[in-house]
Amino acid sequence: MTSRKLLFLSSFLFALAAYTSVLQAQTAPVQVVGGGETIVYQLQFDPPKDSVNYSPYENGYYVAPVQGGSGTLIVTKTTGGTRVYYAFTDFGELFVGRNNGDRKAVISCTAGSDVSTTAFFAIGEATTNFQTDTGEISGTAFYAPELRGYTLSADSQNDELFQGSSSSDFGVAGSGTFSAFYDDADTNNARVNHLSVASVVQLLKNRLTGQNYIDGSNITGGNGSGTGSGSGSSTTATDKFDLVVYRLSFKKTGESLNYKPFSGGYFVVGAVNGTGALILEMERDGLKLYKEYLNFGSVFVAKAQGERKAVLSAMDTNSVSSTVFFAVGDANQSFKVNAPSITGSVNFSKKLTGYAISADSESDLAFFGDGGDIGVAGVSLFTATYLEEATKRANKNQSTVAKEVDQIEKELEEKGFVSIAAGSVQ
């Protein structure tokens, strides 16, 4: 994965100058402290806001080391009268970041592929603490009594995990809000009995079994993992097909930690193929910057009971950082297409709305314990608006995605934007 070089420009723009000066002055950096005793959060999911063929989770748990690190997500749902739980081990992480002395806890879990995206993100004030001594680490552990955030799901394929309301339904998309509440009883039990994350997870599984839930791994064939990519097919740069061009906008919302949203951008995508390219804009020290990501993300149309929804999803993630773009809109527009693989009408959306979520514990970067800021987390309301003239121009010229990206970047540079070269963000 190349997450450190790709999407965390928000983190990069905020922290580059500070880290550069510190790295020049120090020669023996240490990693951000993680691990510690086991902490348990209970999860409560609200009804989805905008969805198609989406079955939301109901409740669950997140179990992780209190001082940061990979955790286990357990979620429950009821399908056809059957109560099921799913456990995803080594999925996402819990971390506590700091800004001007204020601490915030973040839960970030993301997974994805070329055809699917799943993300859980929550943030809360880490205003509470307890004394801890695990032998290796002793001191005060800070945590958040409550975290609130978002859950996003998108899947363009109809596989064994998905059953629509009829055989003509396909694709899954949904977004909603959820809360994570500190589980005092289960956390105290873990502390008193020195239980690991895995041991607590097994106790919670046993509890759910006693409540007549069945293990979802016996249905789906296995637990999930926290790895994934938002990249698309490598054919994007060469193939010719009908394109759709979107203008992107971002508006910061809710709590955040050292987070600055992108100032704008573009998404260029094949209307039939669905794989796209992303251009992001940002401002720093009076400079207008942009960066491109070819073969990144996709757009697909999901269908439920005759209703069509366009879904834009893109993700980049590794063990310490993740950025997710997710938006949904009514696919009530169409244009004619006569391609080798299809002749007919292509449905698309003129406007998609959703969220752009970023989280980075920065645990892979040098930290010196000097009380400085650490960690990035935040959410922006995300809108993709159809650009009719740019779309018509691209299709008239039979542009590839890469060719249209070059055209947009030329126009940006005429407006005073400067490119951030590929690989320049470390």
Side-chain angles (χ1 to χ4, degrees):
M1 291 299 299
T2 56
S3 294
R4 303 306 300 181
K5 293 182 180 180
L6 280 177
L7 283 178
F8 268 91
L9 298 180
S10 292
S11 172
F12 167 72
L13 293 175
F14 177 87
L16 178 61
Y19 277 121
T20 300
S21 62
V22 173
L23 289 173
Q24 291 173 344
Q26 301 285 340
T27 59
V30 297
Q31 297 299 103
V32 175
V33 174
E37 301 179 30
T38 300
I39 189 170
V40 184
Y41 283 95
Q42 292 189 26
L43 310 181
Q44 294 183 8
F45 295 89
D46 303 317
K49 294 181 179 179
D50 192 3
S51 66
V52 54
N53 298 323
Y54 177 65
S55 177
Y57 297 114
E58 297 165 350
N59 298 289
Y61 299 92
Y62 195 68
V63 187
V66 66
Q67 286 151 224
S70 181
T72 293
L73 176 72
I74 302 174
V75 289
T76 67
K77 66 167 58 179
T78 302
T79 305
T82 302
R83 307 175 81 188
V84 183
Y85 75 82
Y86 301 89
F88 303 89
T89 58
D90 296 324
F91 185 48
E93 66 171 337
L94 167 71
F95 70 88
V96 175
R98 184 171 54 207
N99 174 251
N100 294 326
D102 294 330
R103 292 178 170 86
K104 293 190 178 183
V106 178
I107 294 174
S108 176
C109 306
T110 56
S113 68
D114 292 342
V115 298
S116 66
T117 296
T118 297
F120 300 83
F121 172 89
I123 186 170
E125 299 284 349
T127 56
T128 312
N129 65 77
F130 57 74
Q131 297 303 306
T132 179
D133 188 349
T134 62
E136 180 182 8
I137 301 172
S138 60
T140 302
F142 295 90
Y143 67 93
E146 179 179 347
L147 302 90
R148 295 187 180 274
Y150 303 88
T151 176
L152 315 173
S153 293
D155 191 343
S156 63
Q157 292 190 337
N158 185 357
D159 53 27
E160 68 274 342
L161 297 179
F162 163 70
Q163 293 181 346
S165 57
S166 73
S167 59
S168 64
D169 297 341
F170 53 84
V172 178
S175 64
T177 55
F178 81 104
S179 301
F181 300 98
Y182 175 69
D183 186 333
D184 185 69
D186 285 315
T187 300
N188 282 339
N189 181 50
R191 293 184 65 197
V192 170
N193 295 294
H194 307 291
L195 301 179
S196 65
V197 169
S199 296
V200 173
V201 167
Q202 188 57 55
L203 288 176
L204 295 174
K205 287 182 177 180
N206 294 342
R207 179 185 301 167
L208 290 170
T209 300
Q211 297 171 353
N212 298 319
Y213 284 89
I214 63 173
D215 186 348
S217 64
N218 296 327
I219 301 173
T220 64
N223 291 339
S225 68
T227 60
S229 169
S231 62
S233 168
S234 61
T235 62
T236 301
T238 57
D239 285 354
K240 288 184 172 62
F241 37 64
D242 290 275
L243 303 182
V244 180
V245 182
Y246 290 101
R247 175 64 174 163
L248 309 181
S249 63
F250 304 86
K251 184 179 180 180
K252 184 176 174 182
T253 184
E255 286 194 60
S256 65
L257 174 71
N258 299 324
Y259 172 72
K260 181 179 180 180
F262 302 108
S263 57
Y266 296 86
F267 192 68
V268 184
V269 63
V272 177
N273 178 285
T275 303
L278 180 70
I279 300 173
L280 291 175
E281 301 169 4
M282 63 224 71
E283 297 179 1
R284 170 173 164 262
D285 297 333
L287 293 176
K288 297 190 296 184
L289 308 173
Y290 76 86
K291 188 167 175 63
E292 71 172 41
Y293 309 94
L294 291 175
N295 308 320
F296 188 79
S298 65
V299 169
F300 68 89
V301 175
K303 181 183 177 184
Q305 300 178 343
E307 181 184 40
R308 290 179 171 86
K309 293 278 189 178
V311 183
L312 187 160
S313 65
M315 172 190 295
D316 192 67
T317 180
N318 66 15
S319 60
V320 300
S321 66
S322 63
T323 290
V324 180
F325 301 89
F326 172 92
V328 178
D330 292 327
N332 50 17
Q333 304 291 317
S334 65
F335 58 80
K336 300 295 183 182
V337 62
N338 187 7
S341 61
I342 185 173
T343 299
S345 298
V346 174
N347 300 296
F348 71 99
S349 175
K350 281 196 170 183
K351 186 177 182 180
L352 302 94
T353 59
Y355 305 97
I357 297 176
S358 295
D360 188 354
S361 65
E362 297 184 341
S363 58
D364 58 341
L365 300 178
F367 176 64
F368 303 96
D370 59 357
D373 299 340
I374 187 72
V376 177
V379 179
S380 289
L381 299 178
F382 171 54
T383 303
T385 305
Y386 172 67
L387 291 180
E388 184 173 10
E389 293 302 318
T391 298
K392 287 182 176 180
R393 177 194 64 199
N395 292 324
K396 180 181 179 180
N397 295 333
Q398 294 186 312
S399 293
T400 62
V401 169
K403 184 177 179 180
E404 180 59 22
V405 166
D406 288 342
Q407 177 62 34
I408 293 173
E409 291 177 353
K410 179 181 178 181
E411 295 173 359
L412 285 172
E413 290 174 2
E414 290 174 350
K415 296 176 182 177
F417 281 82
V418 178
S419 171
I420 298 178
S424 64
V425 179
Q426 302 295 327

